[in-house]
Amino acid sequence: MIPVVKTVEEARKYVKAWRREGMSVGLVPTMGFLHEGHKSLIVRAAAENDCVVVSDFVNPTQFGPNEDFETYPRDIEADAGLCEAAGAKLIFNPEPSEMYHDALTTVSVDKLTKVLCGKTRPIHFDGVCTVVSKLFNIVMPDKAYFGQKDAQQLCVVRKMVKDLNFDIEIVGCPIIREEDGLAKSSRNTYLSPEERKAALCLSRSLVMGREMIGNGEKSTRKVIEAIKAEIEREPLARIDYVEIVDLDNLEPAEDASGHILAAMAVYIGKTRLIDNFIIE
Ligand code: PAF
């Protein structure tokens, strides 16, 4: 059975032993309750590295006061089975006290974290950047794997790695979807059957927006309006944001050409879901 370690010291012992044998190390940072999306990251990491560490840690510092830290789903046994099947060699599953005890340091990336999800989740990316930096320093991987579903997170982490000179390659991996189009997410488990159907308005509206651009629509304003109108037809949906931004700096893009990210956050009932597409 794959080892599940709880302390920084134990995690480092494994990684140091692999390093002594000249093996490469990949890291897949997760908050657990793993699904096919995470599995695709682990499988890719296992194909590209000798050893893969999956961190499984519901990070309290990236949740706002009224968010779902307490209720976020957890199942370390199921996670261990998935990690092993996907080819990981170690799970790092610390308690918050092991990660933070009396910590006074925060890692913060400016600008990119003030837009999109950062507007309604003002402390979120400081929590992400801090925990990801700590995981990088604990595991010291050659490569780290992140899903494109959190496109802003991927962009922020890339910038942090560049700015702080982490010697780590960040690998972005495609969104994995259910057969009907819903992007896989641990939070999908919060949805009632009725909400689960309603949640399809995210992927449906994005497909429509992408088609508009594919058919030659250049005005991002028109594409955003059409996407919003499609979501607003769904009574259980409430839009947090729908935006089309430049993929490099996350600033609003007026023209639907070049590298763009169309991103949204939408509440379905009480559950906040995100989804996006990228045109490179
Ligand atoms: O994407 C996530 O699950 C989390 O934000 C991460 C990167 C594991 C940091 O807690």
Side-chain angles (χ1 to χ4, degrees), residues 21-266:
E21 292 179 29
M23 298 210 260
S24 60
V25 179
L27 170 68
V28 182
T30 82
M31 295 209 300
F33 211 71
L34 306 178
H35 50 66
E36 291 293 316
H38 299 109
K39 191 172 178 185
S40 72
L41 305 182
I42 302 168
V43 167
R44 171 129 182 224
E48 296 181 357
N49 301 272
D50 298 317
C51 299
V52 174
V53 181
V54 176
S55 63
D56 188 316
F57 176 59
V58 185
N59 173 35
T61 65
Q62 69 188 73
F63 289 79
N66 299 317
E67 294 182 356
D68 55 343
F69 171 67
E70 298 296 342
T71 53
Y72 196 86
R74 294 156 167 91
D75 188 345
I76 188 64
E77 276 171 27
D79 290 352
L82 182 144
C83 286
E84 184 157 28
K89 289 276 189 297
L90 180 71
I91 299 180
F92 178 47
N93 176 228
E95 292 301 320
S97 54
E98 174 70 7
M99 286 299 270
Y100 292 112
H101 47 96
D102 55 356
L104 295 175
T105 306
T106 302
V107 179
S108 183
V109 172
D110 201 0
K111 279 194 177 160
L112 301 177
T113 58
K114 307 285 182 263
V115 296
L116 305 176
C117 288
K119 280 190 195 158
T120 40
R121 304 189 75 193
I123 61 155
H124 174 68
F125 289 108
D126 284 1
V128 170
C129 289
T130 305
V131 81
V132 169
S133 300
K134 286 169 74 69
L135 292 168
F136 285 175
N137 283 328
I138 294 163
V139 177
M140 297 210 280
D142 300 286
K143 298 186 184 189
Y145 296 78
F146 293 84
Q148 186 211 296
K149 184 167 83 67
D150 292 298
Q152 184 176 13
Q153 170 172 282
L154 183 54
C155 180
V156 168
V157 169
R158 283 192 202 283
K159 183 74 176 118
M160 177 186 82
V161 162
K162 184 164 182 261
D163 289 354
L164 297 183
N165 305 98
F166 280 108
D167 190 11
I168 297 171
E169 183 186 332
I170 302 301
V171 182
C173 302
I175 300 178
I176 304 295
R177 297 182 180 278
E178 304 285 355
E179 267 180 27
D180 59 8
L182 181 67
K184 300 243 184 196
S185 163
S186 306
R187 289 191 168 98
N188 291 348
T189 162
Y190 297 150
L191 301 169
S192 69
E194 201 191 348
E195 289 170 341
R196 171 68 183 73
K197 274 190 212 143
L200 290 178
C201 68
L202 281 87
S203 53
R204 191 172 60 237
S205 62
L206 284 172
V207 167
M208 192 204 62
R210 193 180 193 127
E211 269 170 19
M212 283 176 77
I213 296 172
N215 290 336
E217 181 57 69
K218 289 272 173 275
S219 159
T220 53
R221 187 183 52 77
K222 283 191 187 155
V223 178
I224 292 170
E225 273 170 14
I227 291 177
K228 283 186 169 169
E230 179 63 28
I231 297 170
E232 278 159 3
R233 280 158 36 118
E234 174 48 66
L236 294 180
R238 181 168 58 82
I239 295 173
D240 179 355
Y241 69 82
V242 176
E243 288 191 44
I244 299 182
V245 295
D246 181 298
L247 191 52
D248 298 321
N249 55 24
L250 303 186
E251 282 172 16
E254 270 169 33
D255 203 63
S257 56
H259 290 184
I260 53 164
L261 164 70
M264 61 172 59
V266 175

